[in-house]
Amino acid sequence: MSLSRREFLKSSAAASAAAAIGMSVPAELEASAASAESGWRWDKAACRFCGTGCGIMMATKNGKIVAVKGDPAAPVNRGLNCIKGYFNAKIMYGADRLTQPLLRMNDKGEFDKKGKFAPVSWERAFDEMELNIRKALKASGPEGVAVFASGQYTVMEGYAAQKMMKAGFRSNAIDPNARHCMASAVVGFYQTFGIDEPSGCYDDIELTDTVVSWGSNMAEMHPILWSRVTDRKLSDPDRVRVINMSTYRHRTSDLADIEIIFSPNTDLAMWNYIAREIVYNNPDAIDWDFLKKNIIFAASPVNMGYGMRREGEKSLTPVRPDGSAGKYSAKEMQTIKHEMVHKVSAKEAPALEPYGYKEGQDMVNKPAGLKHWEISFEEYKKFLAPYTLDYVAKIAKGDPDEPLEQFKEKLQTLADLYIEKGRKVVSFWTMGMNQHTRGTWVNTLSYNVHFMLNKQALPGSGAFSLTGQPSACGTAREVGTFCHRLPADMMVKNPKHRKIAENRWKIPEGTLNPVGNQHIMKIHRDIEDGVVKFAWVNVCNAYQDSASAKHWIKAAREMDNFIVTSDGYPGISAMVSDLVLPSAMIYEKWGAYGNAERRTQHWRQQVLPVGNAMSDTWQWVELSKRFTVKDVWGPYTLRNGVKLADVRKAAHAMGYTDDTTMFEILYANKEAKSYKIDMDSFPQQGYDNSECNGDSRNVVGSDGKVFKGYGFMIHEYLFEEYASFGRGHGHDLAPFTTYHKVRGLKWPVVDGKETQWRFNVKYDPYAKAAVEKSGNGSTHAFYGKLAKALTQGDLMGITDKKKKPLTDKAKIFARPYMDPPEMPDAEYDTWLATGRVLEHWHSGTMTMRVPELFRAVPEALCYMNPKTAEEKGLKQGDLCWVESRRGRVKAHVETRGRNRPPRGLVFVPWFDEKVFINKVCLDATCPQSKQTDYKKCAVKIYKA
């Protein structure tokens, strides 16, 4: 039988799909598939895209990936992929893939910030980086060297970057783009549980009776999980209820029994309404035995601002008579002024009345940090009093065309579903609750409801934060590539934690910097203020993905600094940079990711990188060869007056010399070299390993010589050293080799067994041990160690400064509804929300280069209600301006699409660099988590 290549591939795909769903396959088709796959090598891997963590099977032949399919053995996706997942291979083979370093140069071959990009060697690239890092350290100390890190780093890449930044350069100015997507969830976990990441797992979907999606378009953003929700709904349609809560209608609404369209920010009020219904109208639903054994009540300051720039900062001076200030226009300052003083509105006044505020009163905002204190249940009950159905419905109704009574009925039904005895409920959310100027607050409010009903950390019940990026959990959070973190939930400000890390890394005590405040928006602002002189973009698109983008691009291009981007493609960040480095992409290197259900997954290098591209791990390790003990471990004084000690003499006492490199200390030490290369044994046998062995490309490396590899298994070393921080501390990971035998494991992995439901004594060995130790007979133990001793007080503040221990307890927080800092007004009369679409990933750097995905959605549209369009003199397909106080973009109007906003709100996705919507967005953040609120700002819409 003769078949074309296309027919071969179609036959193979059809056979694979049939097998995945259990269909019998005709013998002829099986034979065709076998012929088509002749010479293919199949291996497991993890999907490159969202935080769901789907498993894929990848086929390679003649050094190239030739096919991708869902992994039937993967428990997350069970053989299915979403549309992006099927194109994991094609993201690596775009026509403009970066293959060699590019430096801005003049005609003489010298670096010139205003010059054009020209190819250079890896040696020249590292020469320029070394020179400019030394300049930055001399000018600003460790605070002058910064990294835009990523929730898309592999575990090993993130760990390598963190070691060099924090232990080498002594800089905590490394912060991932996960700050933009998950930071509010993280701080919510810390404050509530004392430890990061969800208590439940995806198995909750098949076990629950009720799925409530709070500001999460799961149908497009987590489509494989939504397929599981759909299957659960269809398996028992009379019992299972699905509720979609959003500021606009989207595809998740299509399955929902109830759709609640609410006004931006009022999710705070709706959570408090449900809590009030429990406390005031259904007190018998409260599980007091559970609360007394496991929960305390807490409050925190409300006048904490909105995470914007504050008066007196360098780029806000001088203040001019026209209202402008420094580098910010008068219109921008109309919003920024709320950071200092905010006038209490009629909408939020009832919610703030228990705190002593009245409508029209000035609220003077002050940085509050993470401060909170214990209060009584009576104080919490007083806090809930304003959240009546009438008040919440009035402020929360988001569709002006929906009758108020109908909206009230929906809210009442929502509360009833949560409260119903015996009904299991899972609350899912993603960016709607995280990208929020009160993101930490709203995250904690979700647990309030579940705790009071004892519907948390149980099979089929729990509040569950879904992760956006493939390793925002595994790398950004667990490895600790945030500015304030160390591995396994340790913090740079804690001297005990620093000492643990210093001992493990074999560096002198006092090396680590205790000040970790340069989060991702502060890095941008510090570049604009002239503090950060060297910044390196890793595995993200920092200049496209940050709000108020015009400010940061202007600062990068026009100020005295040196910007480097490592990427697979020339996105906006690469175009903004002075040096561009070609990075190996996901399956061109060994790696590991950690997904939203705490599942760690590993894969092997499938193919060689294209051109001279090398992995981010390699780039960090090579850079470390350029800096010695003498160069980086001397004394520094930080901006706030904190002094970093000269630790060079202590280093000498440890056996290091002034000329010992960071490479020798951090990456090629005795322990590292004990991890042997063994190409005759699993899992290394038969697979390339460009970092450890070099490869057939003979890439000329950072020293001008052909790179022959490190000669030891650096991937295993980095993973095992990182994993050692968490073992025995509630973050236990399995051995490196084990992960290559399984389809991931949910940590903590104890005695070879994964943990499905944390904090539950039936499933979590740490919880079981804690309850046995306490002897309180509880079903749960919330054993996290962070913020587990609190002062006492009431809603107004602290009344007793003596701290009371809260061993194994979690918290219910009193946190009110508040307005965002920018709302529609007479001039800017429309809400803008941003987000993603199914076909594209983040800034589109990869997916816009996949022909099938580009053809499906070639541009970002302005989704708009037909009545809004009519009011603005627009119609379907027209080109319109979307303008805020910060900038404007053009987009085509879409009134009939998948996203259907109510009147007064538009939605524009951010994947399209030609519709650069983050120029329009506001860089306000949650003051506690520092996560940007991309979901709400005020714009005006008019015909282009």
Side-chain angles (χ1 to χ4, degrees):
M1 181 176 62
S2 176
L3 292 176
S4 69
R5 179 179 181 276
R6 183 178 183 84
E7 289 169 328
F8 267 157
L9 294 174
K10 288 172 69 177
S11 296
S12 177
S16 296
I21 61 173
M23 282 178 58
S24 59
V25 181
E28 186 178 359
L29 185 59
E30 276 192 328
S32 298
S35 176
E37 296 184 15
S38 175
W40 290 10
R41 180 188 69 186
W42 286 98
D43 196 24
K44 74 176 182 71
C47 179
R48 175 60 179 81
F49 297 109
C50 77
T52 300
C54 292
I56 61 173
M57 294 298 293
M58 183 160 283
T60 54
K61 184 176 182 178
N62 298 328
K64 192 165 184 177
I65 299 170
V66 294
V68 175
K69 62 184 179 183
D71 183 356
V76 172
N77 53 309
R78 305 166 185 179
L80 292 177
N81 279 350
C82 78
I83 187 65
K84 291 187 298 296
Y86 286 111
F87 292 105
N88 267 288
K90 284 199 172 185
I91 63 173
M92 295 166 52
Y93 300 124
D96 59 344
R97 179 77 190 272
L98 295 169
T99 60
Q100 55 190 333
L102 302 170
L103 177 69
R104 289 187 183 273
M105 293 193 290
N106 59 25
D107 294 337
K108 298 177 182 178
E110 302 164 328
F111 167 66
D112 185 340
K113 197 167 181 71
K114 295 183 179 178
K116 295 181 178 180
F117 284 116
V120 294
S121 66
W122 276 112
E123 184 179 25
R124 174 71 186 279
F126 280 104
D127 286 346
E128 295 292 342
M129 291 175 74
E130 177 188 349
L131 174 67
N132 283 281
I133 289 171
R134 290 182 186 277
K135 284 183 180 179
L137 289 170
K138 184 175 181 179
S140 301
E143 293 167 300
V145 178
V147 174
F148 294 105
S150 179
Q152 298 165 61
Y153 270 144
T154 68
V155 167
M156 297 76 147
E157 287 170 341
Y159 187 67
Q162 172 170 234
K163 285 190 79 174
M164 187 58 201
M165 281 297 287
K166 293 178 181 176
F169 295 133
R170 308 177 79 181
S171 172
N172 292 325
I174 174 172
D175 210 57
N177 60 350
R179 176 74 69 177
H180 290 319
C181 75
M182 294 311 300
S184 296
V186 172
V187 181
F189 282 122
Y190 279 160
Q191 293 199 338
T192 303
F193 299 97
I195 190 171
D196 193 12
E197 299 201 32
S199 54
C201 62
Y202 298 157
D203 293 347
D204 286 328
I205 295 171
E206 282 76 29
L207 298 171
T208 195
D209 305 311
T210 318
V211 172
V212 188
S213 176
W214 289 78
S216 175
N217 184 3
M218 289 178 69
E220 292 201 56
M221 306 312 127
H222 296 88
I224 296 301
L225 294 184
W226 194 243
S227 73
R228 290 175 63 169
V229 172
T230 302
D231 185 60
R232 175 65 184 135
K233 169 64 180 173
L234 298 179
S235 70
D236 192 356
D238 295 333
R239 173 66 178 171
V240 176
R241 289 288 176 268
V242 176
I243 300 92
N244 183 41
M245 308 185 68
S246 178
T247 56
Y248 61 95
R249 176 172 290 179
H250 46 63
R251 286 178 172 174
T252 301
S253 299
D254 296 343
L255 181 70
D257 297 284
I258 301 172
E259 176 191 62
I260 297 177
I261 302 298
F262 62 90
S263 178
N265 246 51
T266 60
D267 43 4
L268 292 154
M270 291 186 293
W271 275 118
N272 284 330
Y273 158 70
I274 300 168
R276 188 188 188 281
E277 278 293 296
I278 296 168
V279 170
Y280 281 81
N281 298 330
N282 296 273
D284 292 343
I286 299 173
D287 189 329
W288 278 108
D289 181 64
F290 174 82
L291 292 187
K292 288 173 182 176
K293 288 177 178 176
N294 297 291
I295 306 294
I296 63 100
F297 296 86
S300 57
V302 297
N303 58 327
M304 60 182 187
Y306 306 96
M308 297 183 286
R309 279 194 174 276
R310 293 190 64 82
E311 60 186 2
E313 291 183 13
K314 187 173 181 180
S315 292
L316 286 188
T317 57
V319 177
R320 305 181 189 89
D322 67 355
S324 65
K327 297 176 181 178
Y328 289 77
S329 69
K331 291 208 167 188
E332 288 176 293
M333 292 306 298
Q334 289 173 2
T335 299
I336 293 173
K337 70 181 181 181
H338 294 297
E339 182 62 30
M340 280 58 76
V341 179
H342 164 69
K343 194 173 291 295
V344 176
S345 73
K347 189 173 182 179
E348 63 190 349
L352 293 173
E353 189 276 331
Y355 297 88
Y357 289 98
K358 292 183 170 62
E359 181 184 348
Q361 183 176 346
D362 282 345
M363 177 184 284
V364 179
N365 292 319
K366 302 174 183 178
L370 302 177
K371 183 169 69 173
H372 59 281
W373 54 90
E374 186 175 358
I375 61 173
S376 67
F377 172 74
E378 287 71 27
E379 282 290 294
Y380 177 68
K381 186 175 182 178
K382 182 170 76 173
F383 152 79
L384 289 176
Y387 296 96
T388 62
L389 181 58
D390 286 344
Y391 168 59
V392 173
K394 180 181 177 183
I395 68 168
K397 186 170 78 73
D399 181 354
D401 299 323
E402 180 177 16
L404 182 61
E405 289 305 312
Q406 179 177 300
F407 188 75
K408 284 184 178 181
E409 288 177 13
K410 291 179 180 179
L411 288 183
Q412 184 67 64
T413 302
L414 174 69
D416 291 345
L417 288 169
Y418 273 101
I419 294 167
E420 182 183 328
K421 190 173 180 61
R423 173 171 284 276
K424 297 176 183 179
V425 184
V426 177
S427 303
F428 285 121
W429 68 91
T430 319
M431 300 311 149
M433 278 173 47
N434 292 341
Q435 293 175 343
H436 198 305
T437 52
R438 291 295 182 267
T440 299
W441 283 12
V442 74
N443 269 263
T444 60
L445 295 184
S446 69
Y447 302 115
N448 292 0
V449 169
H450 283 268
F451 280 150
M452 284 194 288
L453 301 168
N454 191 4
K455 294 185 179 183
Q456 180 68 29
L458 291 169
S461 280
F464 197 131
S465 163
L466 293 172
T467 315
Q469 297 187 82
S471 205
C473 289
T475 306
R477 294 157 73 169
E478 294 159 27
V479 169
T481 56
F482 285 90
C483 65
H484 62 290
R485 289 179 72 162
L486 292 165
D489 281 337
M490 296 195 301
M491 302 292 159
V492 298
K493 72 177 182 180
N494 186 316
K496 292 180 180 177
H497 293 175
R498 293 198 304 275
K499 188 172 182 179
I500 290 169
E502 287 163 346
N503 288 340
R504 188 68 188 87
W505 290 341
K506 298 177 178 63
I507 61 177
E509 187 173 340
T511 301
L512 294 180
N513 179 346
V515 180
N517 60 12
Q518 284 177 279
H519 56 86
I520 202 162
M521 291 313 303
K522 185 160 177 57
I523 291 173
H524 278 305
R525 293 167 187 168
D526 279 349
I527 293 172
E528 188 175 50
D529 287 349
V531 175
V532 168
K533 300 290 188 180
F534 176 94
W536 190 0
V537 179
N538 283 191
V539 207
C540 68
N541 197 347
Y543 285 92
Q544 187 175 340
D545 71 21
S546 296
S548 297
K550 286 201 303 186
H551 279 277
W552 324 130
I553 290 174
K554 184 176 182 180
R557 292 304 313 131
E558 297 180 6
M559 296 186 68
D560 179 21
N561 53 46
F562 191 79
I563 311 297
V564 181
T565 290
S566 294
D567 205 341
Y569 291 103
I572 285 178
S573 294
M575 295 298 99
V576 166
S577 296
D578 302 300
L579 174 66
V580 180
L581 304 179
S583 284
M585 293 183 70
I586 178 168
Y587 309 115
E588 297 169 341
K589 58 195 176 187
W590 290 66
Y593 279 163
N595 79 348
E597 63 166 354
R598 297 172 280 108
R599 181 181 298 276
T600 308
Q601 302 183 79
H602 285 232
W603 66 89
R604 296 179 281 200
Q605 181 175 339
Q606 301 297 315
V607 292
L608 296 182
V610 301
N612 289 319
M614 293 296 285
S615 74
D616 292 77
T617 297
W618 181 87
Q619 292 173 35
W620 275 104
V621 174
E622 292 301 293
L623 181 67
S624 74
K625 295 177 178 178
R626 302 293 186 109
F627 295 90
T628 65
V629 166
K630 178 176 60 180
D631 296 329
V632 292
W633 283 358
Y636 293 104
T637 301
L638 305 180
R639 279 178 290 180
N640 64 358
V642 170
K643 295 184 182 298
L644 301 185
D646 186 335
V647 296
R648 289 175 292 191
K649 285 186 178 179
H652 299 159
M654 297 175 71
Y656 305 136
T657 70
D658 278 350
D659 296 325
T660 304
T661 64
M662 292 298 110
F663 171 70
E664 296 168 279
I665 296 171
L666 301 177
Y667 305 110
N669 50 56
K670 183 178 179 181
E671 180 183 350
K673 291 178 180 178
S674 72
Y675 289 90
K676 303 297 184 183
I677 297 294
D678 184 357
M679 298 305 294
D680 295 322
S681 299
F682 179 87
Q684 299 178 44
Q685 186 176 23
Y687 286 84
D688 288 306
N689 196 328
S690 296
E691 295 93 334
C692 300
N693 299 326
D695 60 50
S696 59
R697 296 174 301 153
N698 291 320
V699 172
V700 177
S702 66
D703 58 359
K705 301 174 183 177
V706 172
F707 179 71
K708 295 295 186 180
Y710 297 122
F712 59 93
M713 187 57 173
I714 193 169
H715 314 294
E716 186 172 9
Y717 161 63
L718 290 170
F719 179 80
E720 288 294 338
E721 184 180 274
Y722 148 65
S724 69
F725 282 98
R727 289 174 179 148
H729 302 286
H731 285 79
D732 306 62
L733 296 170
F736 177 86
T737 301
T738 298
Y739 286 109
H740 287 282
K741 298 176 181 177
V742 299
R743 264 56 175 186
L745 294 168
K746 298 186 286 289
W747 62 263
V749 181
V750 181
D751 297 329
K753 295 176 63 177
E754 64 180 1
T755 300
Q756 290 175 287
W757 290 278
R758 293 165 84 201
F759 315 124
N760 186 317
V761 298
K762 188 175 178 181
Y763 303 96
D764 185 344
Y766 280 94
K768 182 180 179 181
V771 170
E772 287 175 352
K773 183 178 179 180
S774 70
N776 71 354
S778 179
T779 55
H780 292 73
F782 299 102
Y783 50 77
K785 303 298 183 186
L786 297 171
K788 285 301 183 78
L790 292 184
T791 54
Q792 313 300 296
D794 54 26
L795 292 175
M796 303 300 289
I798 296 168
T799 56
D800 182 354
K801 292 184 178 180
K802 185 178 178 180
K803 288 193 174 183
K804 174 182 168 184
L806 310 169
T807 306
D808 297 335
K809 292 197 172 185
K811 301 165 196 164
I812 285 176
F813 280 91
R815 283 170 163 166
Y817 165 76
M818 289 185 71
D819 294 337
E822 185 173 89
M823 301 173 73
D825 57 19
E827 183 176 3
Y828 300 94
D829 59 356
T830 303
W831 287 109
L832 168 68
T834 66
R836 294 200 286 114
V837 294
L838 170 66
E839 294 81 359
H840 288 295
W841 171 247
H842 279 201
S843 60
T845 311
M846 295 180 290
T847 53
M848 286 288 272
R849 288 168 168 84
V850 175
E852 293 85 349
L853 298 177
F854 176 79
R855 286 196 297 269
V857 182
E859 64 177 312
L861 303 171
C862 181
Y863 293 90
M864 186 183 303
N865 188 285
K867 293 179 182 178
T868 300
E870 187 177 351
E871 290 169 5
K872 307 294 183 185
L874 297 165
K875 63 181 184 300
Q876 170 77 17
D878 280 353
L879 197 61
C880 72
W881 284 106
V882 182
E883 180 177 340
S884 73
R885 292 172 171 86
R886 292 154 294 281
R888 66 177 189 168
V889 296
K890 286 180 184 177
H892 284 104
V893 173
E894 176 57 73
T895 61
R896 303 193 296 260
R898 64 182 78 183
N899 301 302
R900 292 147 279 172
R903 283 192 297 118
L905 184 144
V906 296
F907 173 82
V908 182
W910 67 281
F911 68 86
D912 186 355
E913 62 185 38
K914 295 182 178 65
V915 183
F916 194 175
I917 197 62
N918 279 333
K919 292 193 300 183
V920 177
C921 293
L922 173 66
D923 64 314
T925 73
C926 168
Q928 294 185 306
S929 71
K930 317 302 182 188
Q931 179 167 353
T932 310
D933 188 340
Y934 295 92
K935 299 303 181 185
K936 54 196 81 79
C937 70
V939 298
K940 55 185 174 184
I941 311 289
Y942 52 95
K943 195 162 189 173

